[in-house]
Amino acid sequence: MTIEDAQKRVDEWIKTYGVRYFNELTNMACLTEEVGELARGIARRYGEQSCKPGEKINIGEEIADVMWVLICLANQTGTDITAELEKSFAKKTARDKDRHRNNPKLK
């Protein structure tokens, strides 16, 4: 699935099953919640925290939940994520093409 496909599918799902998008502020709060769940999973799987009894960590599911809400926000704000990612690649390449290779901390 392309990012464009994902944006269309989320929009279709919202209109079919979700009735309407939550407003942007609500979705921003939802995004914060989902990022927190991802952070908790990362901390427990890769960090020093342990899981609670019976707790199962699914990093992929948490990442997908974050992407879902980001796609909702993109759709609501008329943002073409593919186009914006292309711009971001160009910006980062122009700015950082040598910086990371020349960073002694990364060697």
Side-chain angles (χ1 to χ4, degrees), residues 68-87:
W68 180 278
V69 182
L70 280 174
I71 290 169
C72 285
L73 285 166
N75 287 351
Q76 290 175 278
T77 60
T79 301
D80 178 339
I81 299 172
T82 301
E84 294 304 323
L85 275 172
E86 290 294 346
K87 291 179 201 173

Side-chain angles (χ1 to χ4, degrees), residues 52-69:
K52 297 173 185 172
E55 183 179 25
K56 295 189 193 280
I57 304 300
N58 185 334
I59 300 299
E61 181 179 339
E62 300 305 341
I63 290 171
D65 289 346
V66 169
M67 288 183 64
W68 180 278
V69 182

Side-chain angles (χ1 to χ4, degrees), residues 32-44 57-64 66:
T32 302
E33 179 183 6
E34 297 298 350
V35 169
E37 291 174 10
L38 174 59
R40 184 181 62 240
I42 295 286
R44 286 183 165 84
I57 304 300
N58 185 334
I59 300 299
E61 181 179 339
E62 300 305 341
I63 290 171
V66 169

Side-chain angles (χ1 to χ4, degrees), residues 7 10-12 14-15 18-23 27 71-73 75-76:
Q7 283 195 254
V10 167
D11 191 61
E12 290 168 5
I14 295 290
K15 290 174 179 172
V19 180
R20 65 171 178 80
Y21 286 91
F22 296 137
N23 69 40
N27 271 335
I71 290 169
C72 285
L73 285 166
N75 287 351
Q76 290 175 278

